[in-house]
Amino acid sequence: MNTFGHIFRLTTFGESHGEAIGGVIDGMPAGIDIDMEFIQEELNRRRPGQSKITTSRNEPDKVELLSGVFEGKSTGCPIGFIVRNTNQHSHDYDNMRDLFRPSHADFTYYYKYGTRDHRGGGRSSARITISRCVGGALAKLVLRQLGIIIQAYTSQVGDISLDRDYHLYDLSKTESNAVRCPDTEKANQMEELISQVKAEGDTIGGIITCVIKGCPAGLGEPEFGKLHADLGAAMLGINAVKGFEYGEGFDGVTARGSEQNDIFIPISEESSQHSTKTNHSGGIQGGISNGQDIYFRVAFKPVATILTQQDTIDIDGNPTTLKAQGRHDPCVLPRAVPIVEAMAAMTILDHFLLNKTIKL
């Protein structure tokens, strides 16, 4: 299962310490202007070494498009791409060759396949999300023409959190700080907490909120293939994700139906178009988009690799200890923001193309 999507499809390949990360995009509409600067900037938002609160691994993450583009436009043919690995420190993982890191994918990969690449986690590494960011950037280029905008931001790190209502913030400020939080004061607190945790050799988790504006009504399927289910699957497929909720989510269970129902209202007396007085549903009802903002939250656990000694076992089941070495993120949130956007973009475009195909 190395392919994501139905019509707009991404197939990925590569390992953290292999020659390269790459993929193939199939289903990209023809005639789309391919903005290479935009695609590279999306990768730069994800790349390591961008601030003092991320891993110090120094990779340019330069993307090379190999096919499917001619004279600056997509041809409708598969778009092959590659991003070469250039700054691997594989020796940092020598002491992990025969050990299982707690809460990592080492144990499960070994027992599924009978072998594993211990260098940086191999295919289980978050470095694999490079391909998702390329696919997401291409999807965003299409969605841009449709007037659909996707904006994610860090809304919580540890116990430092923003209000759940995204309307209270200027989301254009998200990229103004290393944490990618639109509240400057909270961003500073989050950065201090991450720095403290990093100094202790530990890690910490948090929450990313994502808002999709301009999505038309009618995307999603009524039974299997509900839009929120596919968005949830896309998010839960990201490394370190532990939870997904859309709309009011779990907070809505304490309210009554009279409080939660989104009442339909006309936009104006002259218009036959309508809106809703509230948006507790998060822009999706019955598994199908209703034209309102789609918003959801994604919970990320603390990074599994910590730089303090832990008890574990080796591949023979013998008790032992492990102290990880090398370069690791103390908090995945800042670099995960563009990944959340990328997965959302591919999901929305896929459903748009599926909806268009069905209607034809």
Side-chain angles (χ1 to χ4, degrees):
M1 300 297 292
N2 297 300
T3 299
F4 174 83
H6 301 89
I7 294 179
F8 185 88
R9 297 188 301 275
L10 166 67
T11 300
T12 73
F13 64 84
E15 296 83 34
S16 175
H17 286 232
E19 289 297 318
I21 306 296
V24 176
I25 292 287
D26 201 5
M28 179 73 176
I32 302 297
D33 290 328
I34 302 302
D35 185 342
M36 288 302 300
E37 286 189 14
F38 173 76
I39 296 172
Q40 187 60 54
E41 180 56 34
E42 291 294 276
L43 279 181
N44 292 345
R45 294 172 68 208
R46 193 224 69 94
R47 70 180 290 271
Q50 59 184 275
S51 76
K52 66 181 182 180
I53 58 172
T54 64
T55 172
S56 60
R57 179 169 176 168
N58 185 20
E59 293 276 7
D61 286 354
K62 182 71 174 178
V63 62
E64 305 170 41
L65 299 189
L66 306 177
S67 62
V69 178
F70 180 65
E71 295 183 341
K73 292 184 180 292
S74 58
T75 65
C77 296
I79 297 179
F81 63 88
I82 193 171
V83 175
R84 300 184 185 277
N85 294 324
T86 62
N87 190 235
Q88 310 97 311
H89 288 184
S90 299
H91 62 273
D92 287 342
Y93 299 87
D94 288 347
N95 66 327
M96 303 180 190
R97 177 181 292 273
D98 297 321
L99 305 180
F100 297 130
R101 289 171 292 177
S103 288
H104 213 289
D106 299 347
F107 178 87
T108 51
Y109 267 56
Y110 183 77
Y111 274 87
K112 180 176 179 65
Y113 299 109
T115 185
R116 68 181 176 91
D117 185 346
H118 68 283
R119 304 167 304 168
R123 187 108 172 108
S124 71
S125 169
R127 185 155 179 78
I128 305 306
T129 58
I130 284 175
S131 298
R132 304 181 189 205
C133 285
V134 175
L138 289 167
K140 282 184 176 183
L141 292 176
V142 182
L143 295 178
R144 179 190 294 175
Q145 297 192 12
L146 300 172
I148 300 173
I149 303 299
I150 298 173
Q151 174 73 69
Y153 61 93
T154 299
S155 55
Q156 182 169 341
V157 173
D159 60 358
I160 302 170
S161 63
L162 304 188
D163 190 283
R164 290 173 60 93
D165 186 354
Y166 63 89
H167 294 98
L168 299 175
Y169 303 99
D170 179 358
L171 301 189
S172 67
K173 296 181 178 179
T174 298
E175 295 294 317
S176 66
N177 55 76
V179 187
R180 294 199 163 90
C181 171
D183 184 305
T184 303
E185 182 178 346
K186 292 284 188 178
N188 290 335
Q189 295 175 19
M190 291 174 179
E191 185 168 349
E192 288 177 7
L193 177 58
I194 295 172
S195 296
Q196 175 189 338
V197 167
K198 180 180 180 181
E200 296 169 354
D202 214 334
T203 61
I204 196 163
I207 293 174
I208 289 175
T209 297
C210 186
V211 183
I212 304 173
K213 291 182 174 292
C215 186
L219 302 190
E221 301 303 311
E223 182 58 17
F224 304 108
K226 294 176 186 287
L227 182 57
H228 62 268
D230 282 357
L231 281 170
M235 299 306 140
L236 290 166
I238 300 173
N239 308 56
V241 168
K242 285 295 187 179
F244 169 85
E245 65 173 8
Y246 73 102
E248 290 294 302
F250 289 102
D251 274 7
V253 303
T254 59
R256 299 190 179 190
S258 57
E259 299 170 305
Q260 282 287 296
N261 287 348
D262 295 318
I263 306 301
F264 290 104
I265 57 174
I267 292 179
S268 68
E269 293 182 1
E270 298 78 20
S271 175
S272 61
Q273 296 180 326
H274 65 272
S275 183
T276 56
K277 187 179 294 186
T278 55
N279 188 19
H280 300 300
S281 301
I284 302 172
Q285 294 170 328
I288 300 172
S289 61
N290 67 3
Q292 303 303 306
D293 289 352
I294 295 172
Y295 64 95
F296 57 85
R297 307 201 318 155
V298 187
F300 286 79
K301 71 172 184 176
V303 177
T305 303
I306 62 177
L307 301 181
T308 56
Q309 185 167 294
Q310 300 178 87
D311 293 329
T312 187
I313 60 172
D314 62 21
I315 59 175
D316 297 316
N318 300 310
T320 185
T321 60
L322 165 69
K323 184 175 182 180
Q325 305 173 33
R327 304 159 297 176
H328 307 280
D329 283 295
C331 178
V332 74
L333 274 296
R335 296 175 60 211
V337 166
I339 302 169
V340 167
E341 291 181 2
M343 297 306 295
M346 288 191 287
T347 302
I348 295 297
L349 178 57
D350 194 33
H351 271 276
F352 182 87
L353 296 173
L354 180 62
N355 204 47
K356 181 179 179 181
T357 301
I358 290 173
K359 287 184 177 180
L360 290 176

